[in-house]
Amino acid sequence: MNTNISDRLQDIFRAVFELPRNADVTNLDQTNSPRWDSLDHVSLVAAIESEFGISLDAADQFRMTSYPATAALLEEKGL
């Protein structure tokens, strides 16, 4: 994943989970983020689809359990 895509993805995570601008989200996952509930997950999916102009199916969304997993998914999609 190129730096620009990574920076944009990190910004999305910070915005959705209402984290400070300088928060390190690279290790964020569902188990260590109390804000990561089903509603925020839907918001995360919508923000990623909008930002990158892609569509994520249910299987993709199910895999998005952490920042690293989401980044890997976007790489698989050619971003």
Side-chain angles (χ1 to χ4, degrees):
M1 172 179 296
N2 74 46
T3 302
N4 181 44
I5 299 293
S6 178
D7 289 344
R8 289 165 57 195
L9 183 59
Q10 288 181 48
D11 286 343
I12 291 169
F13 268 75
R14 288 184 194 105
V16 168
F17 298 114
E18 298 177 355
L19 299 170
R21 180 88 174 113
N22 61 347
D24 179 14
V25 296
T26 58
N27 292 314
L28 191 67
D29 67 35
Q30 290 176 331
T31 62
N32 69 12
S33 175
R35 289 225 9 117
W36 197 325
D37 59 19
S38 59
L39 183 57
D40 284 329
H41 191 79
V42 170
S43 295
L44 179 64
V45 170
I48 289 171
E49 288 179 328
S50 176
E51 177 69 24
F52 297 111
I54 61 173
S55 181
L56 299 168
D57 63 26
D60 293 335
Q61 295 173 31
F62 186 74
R63 290 180 49 202
M64 294 171 51
T65 58
S66 67
Y67 176 87
T70 304
L73 175 66
L74 294 184
E75 276 192 66
E76 290 171 17
K77 295 200 170 283
L79 296 173

